[in-house]
Amino acid sequence: MRISARADYAVRAALQLAACQDDGPLKAEAIAEAQEIPHKFLEGILNDMRRGGLVLSQRGGNGGYRLARPADSISIADVIRVVEGPLVSVRGVRPPELAYSGPAESLLPLWIALRANVRQILEGVSLADVAAAELPAQVTALAEDPAAWTNP
């Protein structure tokens, strides 16, 4: 699985909004500067997040962006899906829509299992969890495995 710059930036922007949730709307420039995200790129991401119902925008001198829901009700998966679409696809197709034959037939359950595990992690972690540095125990245990940090 590959996390694109767009998905990474979207999650980081959402986390910045989560961390400042009580401070009122944040301007895109402030988010871009705090997270070192190119401002123009971030504007497009924030627009996608607004259309996807994750953020609200407010115009004017005191305007900016804020989360549309509490940070504990927005998962990392929610953010990625809004800017990238499905979490796992094969050649741009969702795994249940695929069919294989012969020796590749058992590949489909492998892709489905991969999707299930990605969902389990990304749907099980909220913006509030990450912003507070309180990841679920399952995620922490996976990340603490030294093998997780190395490339084979």
Side-chain angles (χ1 to χ4, degrees), residues 47-56 67-69 74 82:
N47 281 329
D48 286 347
M49 292 171 68
R50 182 183 50 76
R51 282 190 295 275
L54 294 182
V55 300
L56 301 172
L67 294 177
R69 303 189 313 258
I74 301 173
V82 162

Side-chain angles (χ1 to χ4, degrees), residues 35-108:
Q35 290 298 318
E36 299 179 3
I37 300 171
H39 178 257
K40 285 293 184 191
F41 196 33
L42 179 61
E43 285 284 354
I45 291 168
L46 288 168
N47 281 329
D48 286 347
M49 292 171 68
R50 182 183 50 76
R51 282 190 295 275
L54 294 182
V55 300
L56 301 172
S57 62
Q58 180 179 324
R59 295 182 184 262
N62 293 328
Y65 294 89
R66 61 185 171 86
L67 294 177
R69 303 189 313 258
D72 63 358
S73 71
I74 301 173
S75 73
I76 301 302
D78 293 333
V79 177
I80 294 172
R81 283 187 183 115
V82 162
V83 298
E84 290 287 333
L87 295 176
V88 174
S89 65
V90 179
R91 303 181 323 266
V93 177
R94 293 175 184 200
E97 298 168 11
L98 298 169
Y100 296 103
S101 60
E105 195 170 342
S106 64
L107 194 54
L108 183 56

Side-chain angles (χ1 to χ4, degrees), residues 11-12 14-21 67 71-72 74 76 125-136 140:
V11 171
R12 289 167 45 201
L15 289 168
Q16 191 68 37
L17 291 169
C20 300
Q21 205 164 352
L67 294 177
D72 63 358
I74 301 173
I76 301 302
V125 180
S126 72
L127 292 175
D129 294 332
V130 179
E134 295 177 359
L135 298 176
T140 302

